Amino acid sequence: MSYAAAAALQAAVFQHLTAAPALAGVAIYDAVPPDPASPFVLVGTEEARDASDKTGAGADHRLSVAVIGDGTGFLAVKTIAAAISDQLTGAALVLTRGRLVGLTFDRAQARRIDEGEVRRIDLTFRARVEL
């Protein structure tokens, strides 16, 4: 197993989302800045598992992308989440290290946080990477 392509995968996802016309005007971060405008997208949390086989090293990454917005309702964050899903599912991202074999949607969870004042949708994608 190798975690060697994790940074390259995150950078490629970040770049792909920031360049997407469907997400124009939506702030995309990899760390929450002080007082971000709402709604915004946060690329980040990840879990990786060994996916090596006899042909070489590889990893199966579960990458999360969160859409976070104020408490005015779920419509705005769901619209952004759908655009992210459309942009990433099946995307042919080029990594600076490793090769992306496939990128698929895994699951999503929509919830209220901060005593109902904030809406958050966590999208999880499965990325299979070969090294």
Side-chain angles (χ1 to χ4, degrees):
M1 162 154 172
S2 180
Y3 194 60
L9 176 61
Q10 181 169 334
V13 167
F14 183 85
Q15 181 180 7
H16 190 71
L17 292 177
T18 57
L23 296 168
V26 177
I28 301 171
Y29 305 107
D30 69 352
V32 179
D35 300 319
S38 180
F40 66 95
V41 173
L42 184 61
V43 177
T45 63
E46 172 187 23
E47 180 181 329
R49 294 180 186 217
D50 184 25
S52 300
D53 58 24
K54 66 181 181 180
T55 65
D60 182 40
H61 296 257
R62 301 295 166 113
L63 177 71
S64 291
V65 178
V67 183
I68 303 167
D70 62 23
T72 59
F74 273 107
L75 183 58
V77 290
K78 285 184 177 183
T79 302
I80 294 168
I84 291 168
S85 181
D86 290 345
Q87 290 299 310
L88 292 181
T89 301
L93 305 179
V94 176
L95 307 183
T96 57
R97 184 167 184 185
R99 182 177 78 84
L100 181 66
V101 176
L103 182 60
T104 57
F105 174 79
D106 183 47
R107 66 182 173 272
Q109 180 184 21
R111 59 193 165 146
R112 292 179 180 87
I113 58 174
D114 292 340
E115 298 180 13
E117 296 296 316
V118 175
R119 306 297 188 255
R120 180 178 178 130
I121 299 175
D122 291 302
L123 301 159
T124 303
F125 296 88
R126 178 178 179 238
R128 172 69 168 88
V129 177
E130 291 179 341
L131 296 169

